[in-house]
Structures are given as structure tokens and as C-alpha cells.
Amino acid sequence: MTGRLDSPLVRHDVPLAAFTTFKVGGPARYLAEVSDEEQLLAVLDAAPADLPVLVLGRGSNVVVSDEGYDGLIVRLRGTFLEVEVGGDGIVRAGAGVALPRLARAAAAAGRGGLEFYLGIPGSVGGAVRMNAGGHGRDTAAVLRDARIMTVPARDVRTVPVEALGLGYRSSALTDDDVVLGARFVTVPADPATLESRSREIARWRREHQPGGTRNAGSVFKNPPGTSAGRLIDEAGLKGLRRGGAMVSTLHANFLVAEEGATARDIWELVGEVRRRVEAATGIRLEPELRFVGRFEGEEPG
Ligand SMILES: Cc1cc2nc3c(=O)[nH]c(=O)nc-3n(C[C@H](O)[C@H](O)[C@H](O)COP(=O)(O)OP(=O)(O)OC[C@H]3O[C@@H](n4cnc5c(N)ncnc54)[C@H](O)[C@@H]3O)c2cc1C
């Protein structure tokens, strides 16, 4: 048990489910919604040195434990939600900016290249951390640099994309690194092309993903040379359930959570899918989802 965190910017025992797309999980011991870097520093300075700290973006790639998170959850609001398209085509965005909004802001200024973000409901910070991507592109291809604060030292630096270690749905960043903002490179594009590309992306998502459900996108990373969805489908696991969690019947690499589902249901289903795919193919799937807080066992399955 660590010492107390007292700050006017911090609330105690705040339910986190509503801040995630799965809509499950317990409370954060502390939650701070900060408007700028000064507030972020003030909260970190008030926190006991051994208190775990985690930045939550739009919660579209996480499962929060039913027990919650025994530490400080930070959400970036205020100036972190600003986006600006420069005359040079460089788009500057705070880490809290939603990716579809980022893409639309660029398109409204006649700039293209970020359309693949339209179907990804994460934030700029989450995209940098996860190297989010889709439709043949990823964050590494469009990012110029990111402004990052390392929590223990509080140092802030601008890190060029090459130094972020971005790989397939991964980066060299750890939970100690807070992405504060990022700059993206765009290309000139005519409105008709952007419009048809956006419609195409929306259509593809509608046809291939269980829209309108509680999910967190792809559960597992694709193993080299194949897709996790195909392996799960071929193992006959579409529709497999644990409590209120189910393998989507539309896209086998999506889990959907019904009303009343728990984080434990999702954890157990992820483990069960992993075990059954491994038994059928010898391939051990690696989760793309991030589990926040305490779960039984070190990893699902
Ligand atoms: C319907 C749906 C479709 C999806 N499709 C795709 C897709 O096509 N491609 C894809 O890549 N992903 C997809 N995802 C997953 C998800 O949107 C991405 O992984 C996204 O990048 C996560 O961003 P987030 O802000 O929601 O991060 P969160 O889920 O809030 O957090 C994910 C991780 O990033 C960290 N993080 C968040 N913000 C910051 C920050 N500012 N600084 C440091 N660390 C931070 C968190 O601590 C956590 O470790 C999809 C999800 C859904 C629900």
C-alpha cells in the first residue's frame, strides 16, 4: 500500500468502465483529468513515488480488471485535445485527440494520408504507443515525431519517429512514457478522392467488424504469414462464450462483451481461444489487447 495522493485535480475510486470501449472493469484508486502539461506535472509531483501511474487514452485497446486499478489513471483533456493543420501539411495534435477527428481535420484542410485512422477509435497517444494501423498503413508511416514525458524523471523531449521503435502494433515506449502530442506528415489530396476513400473505409469496417458492440478491436496480433482471425475461425471458435463475453460471429479476432460481462469473462475467453488455437495449430497467439490491473495468472491461457 502506497501513501495517499491528495490533489484538487484527483478524484478517488472512479469507475473506469465508461472510459473503455469494452465497458467493463472496476475503479481507479485515483483518477486525474489534466488539461495541460503543467497540471500533469502537478499531479505527478503530488503522487507518492511508488504509486503506479498509467495513461488511459480512449480505452479502445484495454481490458480493466474487475478489481480496478490500484494506482493513478491519467486522462489527457483540455489542450491535449487540440489539433492544428499547418500550411506545410504538418498536422500537430495533442495526445488526447481522437484518431477519426485527426483524419477529418486533415481532410478538411485538403490533406490526405491519415484516412486509415477514420475506423480506429483510439487517441493519438494510444496510436503512437501501439503503432495503430489498418488498410495497409500504420502510424510509423505517417508520424514525424512525438513529444514524450518520461514519468520518473519528468523530462520532456521530442522523439523522431525512427527512435520510437515502432513495430507491428508495438513501440519501444513503456508505461513510464507519456505521449503528450505528435506531429504527422500529410500529402495534398483532392476532396473527391478523400471522400471516396473515407466511404470505402467505412464500408469495409461495416462489413467486416461487429460495429455497435462492446469490443476493443483485434484481440490478438496476426502471427507471421497468417491472420489470427482465420486461425480462430478455422478452429471453429466463432460464437464461443465465457460468461458475457463471446467470440464475434462476424470477425473471429474480435470479442464482444454483452451487458453484464466482466473483465474476468474476457480474460478467460482470451485464454481459452489461445489454448484451443495452440492445440489445433501449434501457434501461440499473442494478445494485442492490454490488460490493466490484476488478473488471475500471469497471462491469459
Ligand atoms: C472497433 C475497433 C476497431 C479497432 N481497429 C483497429 C485497427 O484497425 N488498427 C489498430 O491498430 N487498432 C485498432 N483498434 C484498437 C485501438 O483503437 C488502438 O490500439 C488504439 O491505438 C488505442 O488507442 P487508445 O487511445 O484507445 O488507447 P488505450 O486503449 O486507452 O490504451 C492502450 C495503451 O496505450 C497507452 N496509452 C494511451 N494513451 C497514451 C499516451 N498518451 N501516452 C502513453 N501511452 C498511452 C495505454 O497506457 C495502454 O497501454 C480498434 C479498436 C476498436 C474498438
Side-chain angles (χ1 to χ4, degrees), residues 41-301:
L41 276 173
V43 168
L44 294 175
D45 285 345
D50 56 349
L51 187 75
V53 179
L54 190 77
V55 182
L56 192 62
R58 296 182 66 84
S60 63
N61 202 44
V62 293
V63 185
V64 174
S65 158
D66 298 313
E67 293 172 23
Y69 182 72
D70 192 18
L72 167 66
I73 293 282
V74 177
R75 295 185 74 228
L76 303 174
R77 317 298 293 162
T79 58
F80 293 110
L81 302 180
E82 290 171 3
V83 53
E84 177 196 309
V85 185
D88 53 1
I90 300 293
V91 181
R92 297 166 180 73
V97 171
L99 297 172
R101 192 175 145 234
L102 177 75
R104 283 196 299 272
R111 308 294 303 189
L114 304 183
E115 303 83 82
F116 70 100
Y117 281 143
L118 284 168
I120 307 180
S123 67
V124 164
V128 173
R129 172 76 191 264
M130 304 298 302
N131 189 19
H135 308 275
R137 301 210 96 180
D138 63 8
T139 299
V142 294
L143 186 68
R144 176 167 158 169
D145 50 38
R147 193 171 153 78
I148 291 174
M149 179 192 287
T150 303
V151 171
R154 312 276 197 272
D155 67 309
V156 175
R157 63 212 193 283
T158 298
V159 183
V161 62
E162 307 80 44
L164 287 167
L166 299 185
Y168 171 53
R169 299 296 171 268
S170 68
S171 69
L173 300 179
T174 71
D175 288 350
D176 279 341
D177 300 306
V178 180
V179 179
L180 303 168
R183 294 192 291 183
F184 297 86
V185 179
T186 60
V187 292
D190 77 275
T193 310
L194 284 173
E195 181 57 32
S196 79
R197 178 103 183 100
S198 305
R199 269 204 303 270
E200 169 59 19
I201 287 172
R203 186 190 58 74
W204 188 91
R205 296 261 165 184
R206 261 196 318 277
E207 286 173 9
H208 294 90
Q209 295 182 354
T213 63
R214 297 171 175 191
N215 68 73
S218 294
V219 172
F220 297 101
K221 296 183 183 187
N222 290 324
T226 183
S227 92
R230 173 177 304 165
L231 296 179
I232 298 166
D233 194 4
E234 286 173 359
L237 303 182
K238 275 184 170 171
L240 182 72
R241 308 181 67 101
R242 276 293 171 280
M246 186 182 85
V247 177
S248 166
T249 50
L250 186 61
H251 188 318
N253 197 21
F254 274 50
L255 299 191
V256 295
E258 292 172 347
E259 183 97 40
T262 62
R264 189 187 167 136
D265 294 338
I266 296 168
W267 171 265
E268 287 184 352
L269 187 55
V270 169
E272 185 63 22
V273 168
R274 197 181 200 192
R275 272 191 297 276
R276 292 207 197 183
V277 168
E278 190 172 12
T281 65
I283 297 172
R284 187 157 172 81
L285 293 173
E286 187 193 337
E288 180 179 321
L289 272 183
R290 304 186 70 90
F291 291 91
V292 171
R294 272 189 350 121
F295 287 84
E296 220 168 273
E298 285 202 344
E299 49 174 24

